[in-house]
Amino acid sequence: MDETAQMQKATIKQSADGFKVDKYGNLFAAGPDGINIISPSGELLGLIRIYNRPASNCAFNETKDVLYITAADLVLRVKLR
C-alpha cells in the first residue's frame, strides 16, 4: 500500500511504525493520524484516528478482540468487533 496520499492530508504526519495482524489477516499499523487497518490484499479498510498525538505501537490481547495503542503519553484500549 502506498501511503503518499494519506500522508499528504494527515494531521499527524508519521510513517508506519508498530504492526500487528488480527485473526482475519488484517494488518493494524501505527501511521498517519492513528492506527491504519489494511486488508491482506493491501486495501485500507479503516483508521482508528488518534488526535494530536502520534501512535507509536499497538498490541492485541490474547483473544485479539481488544487492541491496545500507545500514543505519546496515552495507552488506549479499543474493543474490536
Side-chain angles (χ1 to χ4, degrees), residues 29-81:
D33 285 339
I35 301 295
N36 297 271
I37 306 166
I38 303 163
S39 75
S41 65
E43 176 187 356
L44 180 64
L45 299 175
L47 171 67
I48 300 172
R49 188 175 294 275
I50 301 174
Y51 293 95
N52 302 319
R53 291 174 172 83
S56 58
N57 209 339
C58 58
F60 290 107
N61 67 342
E62 190 174 296
T63 56
K64 294 192 175 184
D65 61 347
V66 174
L67 181 70
Y68 295 94
I69 304 166
T70 56
D73 58 338
L74 301 175
V75 176
L76 305 166
R77 180 180 182 267
V78 179
K79 178 77 172 153
L80 302 174
R81 294 187 237 172

Side-chain angles (χ1 to χ4, degrees), residues 8-39:
Q8 289 173 344
K9 59 184 177 178
T11 303
I12 302 294
K13 301 197 184 292
Q14 169 188 337
S15 294
D17 199 351
F19 299 94
K20 294 292 180 277
V21 177
D22 73 4
K23 56 189 169 189
Y24 305 106
N26 298 311
L27 179 69
F28 285 67
D33 285 339
I35 301 295
N36 297 271
I37 306 166
I38 303 163
S39 75

